[in-house]
Structure formats: C-alpha cells, structure tokens
Amino acid sequence: MECLLQKTKITMLSNCLILLMVGQAFSIPKTEEVTWYPTYHLAPHKGWINDPNGLIYHNGYYHAFFQHNPENIPEGTKHWGHARSHDMLNWEYLPIALSPSLEDDIDGIFSGSAVNLNGKLTLIYTGVSDNLNKQRQMVAISSDGVNFEKKGVVITKEGDESYFRDPKAWFQNGSWWVVIGSQTTDKLGEVLLYSSKDFFNWTYQGVLAGGNGSLGYMWECPDFFTINGKQILVISPQGLEQDGFNYQNLYQTGYFVGNWQPEQNYTIEKGFREIDHGHDFYASQSFLAPDGRRIQISWLDMWESVFAENVTGWSGMFTIPREISLNEFGDLVSKPIREIIGKRTPNTDIFDTIISSNQMLTLKNNVFSSEILIEFNLLNSSCKAIQLSLKEEPTRDEGVVLYVDIELSRLFMERYYPKYGIDKTNRSVAIDLSLSKLSLDIFVDSSSIEVFVNDGIAVMSSRIYPNNNQRKFSVAPVDGFVNVSLTSYDINVNNQ
C-alpha cells in the first residue's frame, strides 16, 4: 500500500506534501517536555513506517516487517524494515530487509506477506516501477532470517498494473494461495485469487470478492484466514463515504464473514464491518502463533493525520498485537495478546468507589506507559453519562476524552491538540448497556490510546500528543452517580 496511490497520483502527492508541511510547520515549545516514543508498541527508532508486512513466527522468532522510509518522508520511496521478537513486545531491530534495487521494484517495495517455504523465510511483496504505474508481485528468500535474496517477479496482471498490490499468501490443501488487492476497469475495489504448487508459478483463479460503488474504488491490504470454520476476508478499502457514525476516517479497515474452499466461490454471510472505531487504524495483517492463536497487527495511524512526532526524527507505529476470534454471533473479537500480562508491574492501583453526581475523581496522575482496567457497575449507577479524561486538568480543553453516553448507548473518543494542528474531532462505537457492567481495558503508551470494550467486542485506537503535564487520568459522572472500580499497571518493555 502506498500514499501516492490512494487516489490519483497527482492528488495524493499534493496531500502527502501537505501532511509533511503540516508536520514540519510546528515546533515543540521549549517550555514543554514531551515523551512520545512508545514503550510497548513497535515503532521506528528513526524514519517512517506504515503498513505491517510479512508477519510470521519462524524458527523461534516472531518477525514483523514494515513499510519504511529511512529518511522519515511519508511519500518517500518505501523499503521493508525488519524487527523480530520472542514475545511480540520486546523487539530487536534488524537491518533493512528489502530495498529498491531491481528494474521491477526500483520505485518502491510495497506491502506483502511471509511464509515458510521449505524451511526458509520467504517474502512475497509488491515491487513498483514505471513511476508507480507497474505493480508486480515478487519473491525474496532468506536462509538466516535476516538477509534476503530477491528472486524476481512471480505474478503480473494483464492490462492496467497500477492498482495491483499487497499479496497475502498461505498454504492449504496441498497448494499455495495468495489474495491480492486490486481495482476493476470500472474503478471498484476487488480481491483477486491465485494458486501455485511451488510458490513461483502462479495460476489466476478469479475474483475472490468484489465491491460496488458503496465499498470504494480500491481494496488494499487483503487478509484471508479461517476462524471457527468461517473464512474471514479483511480489506482496507479506499473511497467509502461517511455513513452516520461509520467510516469517519479517510480510509477504513474492516472484514467480511463467509464460506470458502478451494475451487469454490467465496460466499459472504456478513457484510463489511469496521474492525476498530478510533481515529487511527489501517492495513491489518494477521498470522498464526505457534499455539494456534490468530494474531492481528495494524498501523496505528491514518493517512490524513498530522504526524506530530516527525519533528523528533520518527513517524508511525503499530497497534498492540491482538488475539482475534469470532463469537457466536459472527462478530470479530479483539483482545490484547496475553503476553502483555507478564509485562505488568507488580505495584497496582486498586479501588472500588461511588462517585457522586458531577464530582470529578483523579484515578491516576502520571499515565505514560500504562494499562488501566476500569469497570462501571451499571446496576448501581444513576448517571446519564460518564466522562474519562487524559489531560493536564480535567476541566481544560486540550487532551483526550472518553465519553460514555448512556442514552445513546455509545462510547465516544474525542481528541484535541491544537498546537500540533490536530482539531477537535471524535469517533464512537455502539456499546451494549443492557449488561450489568461496562468494562474498559485502556492502554496508554506515550502517544497512543487503545480502548478494548467489554472483553474486545469493540476497540477504539487513536494517536495522542500530550506533553508530560497532560497525563492526569480522571473520571466524572454526569447528572447522577457512578460505581467505578479500577486496577492499573505500568507496562515495562525493553526494545533494542
């Protein structure tokens, strides 16, 4: 996936330049101290990242590759950066895995995936050339998991090759399969399917799934996998129009639920739904952990965002790796990986109390690298709304607010950092308040917030840019009292 290809090349070049200019237009006031580099999220020490690529567990390591520009330029030529980990939280950064070098990838190394091919870590990726007009699928192989030898082009597309990218490969029923994001001649998004016996000679199997005018003009970063006997197709469509509370970001990432077997059509049972409802979530990719868990990681950013951190030499980060499952209603459930429990400090803040009407209570004074588990007893509460804030003082405007609207049965997230060009905007998700309790598992890591609602039935993820004095976490009921319990931890991780 690539910024310059999201609409027309000219339009997006203009947009990306605006992003860069906005990011460089401000400077951090000398009176402010900021700590924006994350503790337990994967982010570059230097340079730019966007989509996660090549996620795989191989020979004792979790590998994460990523779209990377070493010079920290969003629209710059993309490489594949590389990191590995034993637990998906402590990451060791390795040399750049793939750089433009061949005729077919000279303009960039776009997104792709990784497989174990005869014991070797093997990458399939989109090589870009001809001023971004040619996008072809290419392969590179490593014997040591660090250094890669390119094998050249393995899949091309007849006709227009400018919207043909992001291969996701897997092995099933004695064959290799790959899905690739594409666009029809009518400029509608679609996902194409190919198969191979050897990973180098591929046969076109047709369109796995295609959209209509309501599902955008391009489907990027497809992912296709099985959970509970159902086949899940994840896509990142471009061009969806906002629909009420839905599709409020520039681009979305969501999923279909259906049935598919080799040589059969994909039958969709549940239509497109967003995975995450925050400001920043895109280009998901998943893989299997050794114990069979399906792990999903996404880019915790969005293309229209102001990347305020770029003045400190880096831009972009990934979400917490998430264990995903399908519940009995066919809904995708996302939970933070269980490995994070081992990174909690033993010192915890714990309390259970009733907060009176319009009273404000500070739950935690310094939220930098934290997990906050908060539960509201709805049977023992009378308020019309609940407000949680991460600010210098709860009554001040700048910062982040989580707002539980009891009457609308929605959770809103609002952020506002005017000095960094981030206007006041909110995102929201429907929540089930017929239950006796509402639980929020909130992760704040320097410049991000991720909120898991009711054990992961909904998630909201956004980038935030507080200074070091804007990290007071408070709660207040609106027009009534609320029964709240809280447990909080600091998360300690050492990335190399």
Side-chain angles (χ1 to χ4, degrees):
M1 175 289 233
E2 173 55 42
C3 179
L4 296 181
L5 292 168
Q6 291 171 351
K7 292 185 179 176
T8 66
K9 296 180 178 66
I10 294 175
T11 300
M12 283 313 297
L13 176 59
S14 177
N15 286 351
C16 286
L17 289 174
I18 290 170
L19 281 176
L20 186 60
M21 291 169 65
V22 169
Q24 294 178 339
F26 67 84
S27 60
I28 298 170
K30 292 182 179 179
T31 56
E32 284 194 357
E33 290 187 10
V34 298
T35 305
W36 288 340
Y37 192 81
T39 298
Y40 55 92
H41 289 73
L42 194 154
H45 291 314
K46 179 181 182 297
W48 162 277
I49 71 168
N50 52 285
D51 305 2
N53 299 151
L55 304 179
I56 191 172
Y57 183 83
H58 182 77
N59 288 348
Y61 285 99
Y62 295 98
H63 289 263
F65 300 84
F66 43 88
Q67 294 281 276
H68 178 53
N69 179 265
E71 302 304 319
N72 197 22
I73 302 173
E75 75 275 20
T77 302
K78 295 300 184 291
H79 304 56
W80 270 31
H82 186 193
R84 65 185 181 186
S85 172
H86 288 296
D87 59 11
M88 294 180 280
L89 294 167
N90 292 281
W91 292 96
E92 173 192 2
Y93 291 82
L94 298 171
I96 290 174
L98 298 175
S99 299
S101 63
L102 302 179
E103 179 181 352
D104 289 296
D105 67 15
I106 197 62
D107 290 337
I109 313 290
F110 283 11
S111 293
S113 54
V115 302
N116 182 335
L117 181 64
N118 301 321
K120 294 183 177 181
L121 181 55
T122 301
L123 311 179
I124 183 167
Y125 67 94
T126 300
V128 182
S129 62
D130 190 23
N131 194 29
L132 309 182
N133 288 308
K134 286 185 180 179
Q135 299 179 15
R136 296 174 169 180
Q137 315 320 312
M138 307 176 71
V139 167
I141 297 179
S142 175
S143 296
D144 60 6
V146 177
N147 301 289
F148 290 85
E149 178 185 359
K150 293 180 180 178
K151 298 297 185 180
V153 173
V154 295
I155 305 176
T156 60
K157 179 186 178 184
E158 292 185 5
D160 185 4
E161 294 181 280
S162 60
Y163 290 89
F164 182 57
R165 54 184 180 265
D166 313 334
K168 176 61 187 293
W170 75 97
F171 190 79
Q172 181 177 344
N173 289 25
S175 295
W176 290 102
W177 301 85
V178 68
V179 286
I180 301 173
S182 188
Q183 182 187 77
T184 70
T185 55
D186 297 330
K187 300 191 182 305
L188 300 177
E190 64 180 357
V191 171
L192 306 180
L193 178 68
Y194 296 77
S195 67
S196 174
K197 291 296 184 181
D198 61 5
F199 210 76
F200 295 97
N201 298 283
W202 293 87
T203 301
Y204 177 59
Q205 297 291 336
V207 176
L208 180 75
N212 52 43
S214 66
L215 282 176
Y217 59 82
M218 174 63 189
W219 288 5
E220 290 198 316
C221 305
D223 193 6
F224 196 56
F225 51 87
T226 298
I227 298 181
N228 295 348
K230 298 295 182 180
Q231 284 67 52
I232 314 301
L233 174 62
V234 175
I235 59 169
S236 293
Q238 299 176 336
L240 272 66
E241 294 185 4
Q242 183 175 337
D243 179 16
F245 290 116
N246 298 320
Y247 315 148
Q248 291 190 321
N249 293 333
L250 178 63
Y251 302 128
Q252 287 70 43
T253 295
Y255 68 102
F256 304 92
V257 178
N259 292 287
W260 176 85
Q261 290 295 326
E263 315 304 330
Q264 297 180 5
N265 293 328
Y266 182 48
T267 303
I268 295 174
E269 296 180 344
K270 287 206 168 188
F272 182 82
R273 289 172 289 169
E274 291 179 271
I275 295 174
D276 189 293
H277 297 265
H279 294 82
D280 296 290
F281 186 91
Y282 195 66
S284 290
Q285 191 173 118
S286 73
F287 68 102
L288 285 176
D291 57 10
R293 288 176 294 162
R294 173 65 58 174
I295 308 296
Q296 185 178 66
I297 300 177
S298 302
W299 187 38
L300 213 173
D301 283 292
M302 181 50 60
W303 282 112
E304 87 274 26
S305 298
V306 177
F307 298 88
E309 72 274 18
N310 69 13
V311 297
T312 60
W314 67 279
S315 298
M317 61 190 295
F318 287 172
T319 61
I320 296 171
R322 302 171 182 183
E323 302 176 15
I324 57 174
S325 59
L326 206 64
N327 67 14
E328 64 271 27
F329 305 108
D331 301 318
L332 203 63
V333 176
S334 303
K335 298 181 180 181
I337 53 170
R338 62 198 66 176
E339 284 84 349
I340 205 163
I341 295 173
K343 309 303 178 184
R344 295 170 172 169
T345 58
N347 300 318
T348 60
D349 298 318
I350 304 174
F351 65 81
D352 187 336
T353 189
I354 292 178
I355 307 174
S356 302
S357 180
N358 298 318
Q359 177 189 6
M360 193 164 288
L361 176 66
T362 296
L363 303 177
K364 194 172 178 66
N365 278 307
N366 294 293
V367 180
F368 280 93
S369 174
S370 304
E371 178 187 5
I372 301 169
L373 295 102
I374 190 165
E375 187 172 86
F376 300 103
N377 185 334
L378 301 177
L379 296 180
N380 193 28
S381 301
S382 65
C383 58
K384 294 181 179 178
I386 307 165
Q387 179 175 303
L388 296 158
S389 62
L390 185 65
K391 299 183 176 183
E392 183 173 354
E393 294 295 337
T395 54
R396 296 197 178 183
D397 212 17
E398 183 174 337
V400 178
V401 173
L402 297 174
Y403 190 84
V404 181
D405 192 312
I406 305 296
E407 294 180 346
L408 289 179
S409 294
R410 297 194 75 86
L411 172 66
F412 290 84
M413 179 188 291
E414 178 186 273
R415 66 176 181 185
Y416 183 44
Y417 296 98
K419 67 171 68 72
Y420 305 126
I422 299 175
D423 296 330
K424 183 180 291 187
T425 57
N426 68 65
R427 301 290 185 265
S428 71
V429 65
I431 52 178
D432 185 358
L433 296 180
S434 67
L435 305 173
S436 61
K437 295 180 180 180
L438 170 65
S439 65
L440 304 177
D441 193 358
I442 303 170
F443 290 85
V444 177
D445 188 5
S446 299
S447 60
S448 67
I449 182 169
E450 294 168 85
V451 182
F452 296 81
V453 182
N454 288 339
D455 293 322
I457 192 62
V459 191
M460 302 184 75
S461 304
S462 295
R463 294 297 302 277
I464 60 176
Y465 294 98
N467 65 38
N468 290 358
N469 294 322
Q470 296 173 326
R471 297 184 177 275
K472 182 178 290 186
F473 189 72
S474 304
V475 62
V478 178
D479 294 334
F481 64 87
V482 65
N483 187 173
V484 57
S485 61
L486 173 139
T487 304
S488 70
Y489 305 91
D490 290 330
I491 304 296
N492 293 316
V493 171
N494 180 29
N495 284 317
Q496 301 177 28

